[in-house]
Amino acid sequence: MTDQKVRLLSGRPGVGTAQDAPLRSGIPPRPLFQGLDVLGAKKRGQSVRSWIRIDTFGNSQVLEVDKLKIMRRCDLPARDLRLLDPLFVYPSTILGREKAIVVNLEQIRCIITADEVLLLNSLDSYVLEYVTELQRRLAGRSEVNRSDFRWRSKRGYVTDHPLDQTANAAPETSELRVGHDVDIFSGLSADYLPFEFRALEVALEAACMFLDTQATELEVEAYPVLDELTSKVSTPNLERARRLKSRLVALTRRVQKVRDEIEQLMDDDGDMAEMYLTDKKERMEAAFQRDQALFSYTSLGTGGSISAPVSPVHSPTESHKLEKTFSLAKSRHSSTRTSEDENEHIEELEMLLEAYFVVIDGTLNKLTSLKEYIDDTEDFINIHLDNVRNQLIQFELLLTTATFVVAIFGVVAGVFGMNISIDMFNEPWTFKWVIIVTGLCGLLIFSLFLCFFKQKGLIPL
């Protein structure tokens, strides 16, 4: 009995699980995620791309850098670099970050820092024009700065180069000297924008010029087509007008996005202040220099070595008070100066953005005028088609009335065609008078219908 239970519980030789079937049949098991190129997608996400680097002096070089190195170099998250990826289609965007400005304006996709511009390398003509124009402006600015420095040196306004200052100089003296130089030459340096603003200006100019060029080409192509469509409504002309309207809608959407992006930046003072990278870099360097100077000043004020132990009972309280007062005064002065500089630079950036806002708004107005012209043309065509349709309806009404009048002859013919013997059939003039009377009655009825249609305004006679 026990042997029978064992035999009943044991599996049959021809039955097995689904996992064992491939092994028994000799077919290798199917790998997991077959058909999904996970490694290829990961490599494409971290692929090495070609970048054009332009420094503050206009020197350019081509770099082969991957995405991770760009993120570390510019201190940017991956979502910001995704905006610059040519594999994705994102609308125009200008983002101000801590150490960089991310610009995605049509063909211009770049990262602007306080020291360099990293531009995606492309064979597009507008990208090459952007590089050439930025190099030209930076080269011209460096020449002007060198001539300006020589001019001031000849007149004795600048006695020492900032790099030649001694380490023992008081921080207040050097800062006041620099501030005095800026005040004297504010008229000369007010027209010069920082490096990041110049790069942003060239990018805005290239994007606005590209969009305006496309708008002009579309305008030149659209007006003759629309004029021809108004004169002759045909299927080819309607198809050309439809394609032009599709291009117009797409171009208007792109121009509107650039305009909204500039307007959003102009309305937010915090974003504009965040984009002033040179000022933030100079403030960080100035704070570091002040800390170094303060550290050297306090170490010299104690009159001993830094590593020498100091008793907590006999600690120099006067030096600590002097250090605290000095640091408070410095922080108060630096905060006041920083707020004034931010307001001034915000105004400069706002004026820069406002200038290109006017340009892109003019392009949008041009496209809006073209869209209104297309809408007017469509209204004209609809009116023309309605007029033709009304004429067809009027003709159909006249034709229906005439058919009714002709039907009277059929009624008369049906009456006289009956197999009834009448004495009128024997008279030869009977047929002639029947035709004449029936025709006169038909004309009378038709005239009455026409008078009724005219009275109701159905037919303009």
Side-chain angles (χ1 to χ4, degrees), residues 169-178:
E172 299 93 344
T173 307
S174 60
E175 189 169 354
L176 289 175
R177 183 191 308 170
V178 174

PDB file of all heavy atoms in Angstrom, residues 169-178:
ATOM      1  N   ALA A 169      49.024  95.964   3.829  1.00  0.00           N
ATOM      2  CA  ALA A 169      48.147  97.123   3.629  1.00  0.00           C
ATOM      3  C   ALA A 169      46.829  96.871   4.313  1.00  0.00           C
ATOM      4  O   ALA A 169      46.313  95.760   4.331  1.00  0.00           O
ATOM      5  CB  ALA A 169      47.930  97.382   2.139  1.00  0.00           C
ATOM      6  N   ALA A 170      46.257  97.925   4.893  1.00  0.00           N
ATOM      7  CA  ALA A 170      44.978  97.807   5.597  1.00  0.00           C
ATOM      8  C   ALA A 170      43.876  97.543   4.621  1.00  0.00           C
ATOM      9  O   ALA A 170      43.868  98.077   3.520  1.00  0.00           O
ATOM     10  CB  ALA A 170      44.699  99.092   6.381  1.00  0.00           C
ATOM     11  N   PRO A 171      42.900  96.739   4.961  1.00  0.00           N
ATOM     12  CA  PRO A 171      41.807  96.438   4.028  1.00  0.00           C
ATOM     13  C   PRO A 171      40.994  97.664   3.700  1.00  0.00           C
ATOM     14  O   PRO A 171      40.542  97.826   2.586  1.00  0.00           O
ATOM     15  CB  PRO A 171      40.982  95.401   4.771  1.00  0.00           C
ATOM     16  CG  PRO A 171      41.893  94.813   5.805  1.00  0.00           C
ATOM     17  CD  PRO A 171      42.837  95.900   6.184  1.00  0.00           C
ATOM     18  N   GLU A 172      40.824  98.564   4.674  1.00  0.00           N
ATOM     19  CA  GLU A 172      40.019  99.743   4.404  1.00  0.00           C
ATOM     20  C   GLU A 172      40.662 100.621   3.347  1.00  0.00           C
ATOM     21  O   GLU A 172      40.022 101.166   2.467  1.00  0.00           O
ATOM     22  CB  GLU A 172      39.812 100.559   5.687  1.00  0.00           C
ATOM     23  CG  GLU A 172      39.083  99.803   6.780  1.00  0.00           C
ATOM     24  CD  GLU A 172      40.075  99.123   7.707  1.00  0.00           C
ATOM     25  OE1 GLU A 172      41.241  99.014   7.302  1.00  0.00           O
ATOM     26  OE2 GLU A 172      39.673  98.713   8.798  1.00  0.00           O
ATOM     27  N   THR A 173      41.988 100.752   3.425  1.00  0.00           N
ATOM     28  CA  THR A 173      42.688 101.648   2.508  1.00  0.00           C
ATOM     29  C   THR A 173      42.593 101.151   1.079  1.00  0.00           C
ATOM     30  O   THR A 173      42.281 101.902   0.154  1.00  0.00           O
ATOM     31  CB  THR A 173      44.154 101.777   2.927  1.00  0.00           C
ATOM     32  OG1 THR A 173      44.187 102.143   4.298  1.00  0.00           O
ATOM     33  CG2 THR A 173      44.864 102.815   2.081  1.00  0.00           C
ATOM     34  N   SER A 174      42.842  99.859   0.864  1.00  0.00           N
ATOM     35  CA  SER A 174      42.788  99.316  -0.489  1.00  0.00           C
ATOM     36  C   SER A 174      41.375  99.368  -1.033  1.00  0.00           C
ATOM     37  O   SER A 174      41.156  99.670  -2.208  1.00  0.00           O
ATOM     38  CB  SER A 174      43.307  97.872  -0.490  1.00  0.00           C
ATOM     39  OG  SER A 174      42.500  97.082   0.353  1.00  0.00           O
ATOM     40  N   GLU A 175      40.376  99.091  -0.192  1.00  0.00           N
ATOM     41  CA  GLU A 175      39.003  99.091  -0.672  1.00  0.00           C
ATOM     42  C   GLU A 175      38.552 100.497  -1.034  1.00  0.00           C
ATOM     43  O   GLU A 175      37.882 100.709  -2.039  1.00  0.00           O
ATOM     44  CB  GLU A 175      38.090  98.490   0.383  1.00  0.00           C
ATOM     45  CG  GLU A 175      36.684  98.243  -0.107  1.00  0.00           C
ATOM     46  CD  GLU A 175      35.923  97.405   0.884  1.00  0.00           C
ATOM     47  OE1 GLU A 175      36.539  96.953   1.869  1.00  0.00           O
ATOM     48  OE2 GLU A 175      34.718  97.210   0.667  1.00  0.00           O
ATOM     49  N   LEU A 176      38.955 101.483  -0.203  1.00  0.00           N
ATOM     50  CA  LEU A 176      38.573 102.853  -0.516  1.00  0.00           C
ATOM     51  C   LEU A 176      39.257 103.328  -1.782  1.00  0.00           C
ATOM     52  O   LEU A 176      38.705 104.079  -2.559  1.00  0.00           O
ATOM     53  CB  LEU A 176      38.939 103.769   0.671  1.00  0.00           C
ATOM     54  CG  LEU A 176      38.063 103.599   1.927  1.00  0.00           C
ATOM     55  CD1 LEU A 176      38.611 104.470   3.053  1.00  0.00           C
ATOM     56  CD2 LEU A 176      36.623 103.954   1.639  1.00  0.00           C
ATOM     57  N   ARG A 177      40.497 102.864  -2.001  1.00  0.00           N
ATOM     58  CA  ARG A 177      41.205 103.270  -3.210  1.00  0.00           C
ATOM     59  C   ARG A 177      40.517 102.723  -4.448  1.00  0.00           C
ATOM     60  O   ARG A 177      40.313 103.420  -5.438  1.00  0.00           O
ATOM     61  CB  ARG A 177      42.648 102.777  -3.151  1.00  0.00           C
ATOM     62  CG  ARG A 177      43.465 103.227  -4.352  1.00  0.00           C
ATOM     63  CD  ARG A 177      44.803 102.511  -4.403  1.00  0.00           C
ATOM     64  NE  ARG A 177      45.509 102.619  -3.139  1.00  0.00           N
ATOM     65  CZ  ARG A 177      46.613 101.922  -2.863  1.00  0.00           C
ATOM     66  NH1 ARG A 177      47.091 101.069  -3.751  1.00  0.00           N
ATOM     67  NH2 ARG A 177      47.205 102.046  -1.701  1.00  0.00           N
ATOM     68  N   VAL A 178      40.126 101.443  -4.385  1.00  0.00           N
ATOM     69  CA  VAL A 178      39.421 100.852  -5.523  1.00  0.00           C
ATOM     70  C   VAL A 178      38.091 101.546  -5.751  1.00  0.00           C
ATOM     71  O   VAL A 178      37.702 101.857  -6.872  1.00  0.00           O
ATOM     72  CB  VAL A 178      39.234  99.334  -5.288  1.00  0.00           C
ATOM     73  CG1 VAL A 178      38.387  98.732  -6.377  1.00  0.00           C
ATOM     74  CG2 VAL A 178      40.588  98.648  -5.220  1.00  0.00           C
TER      75      VAL A 178
END
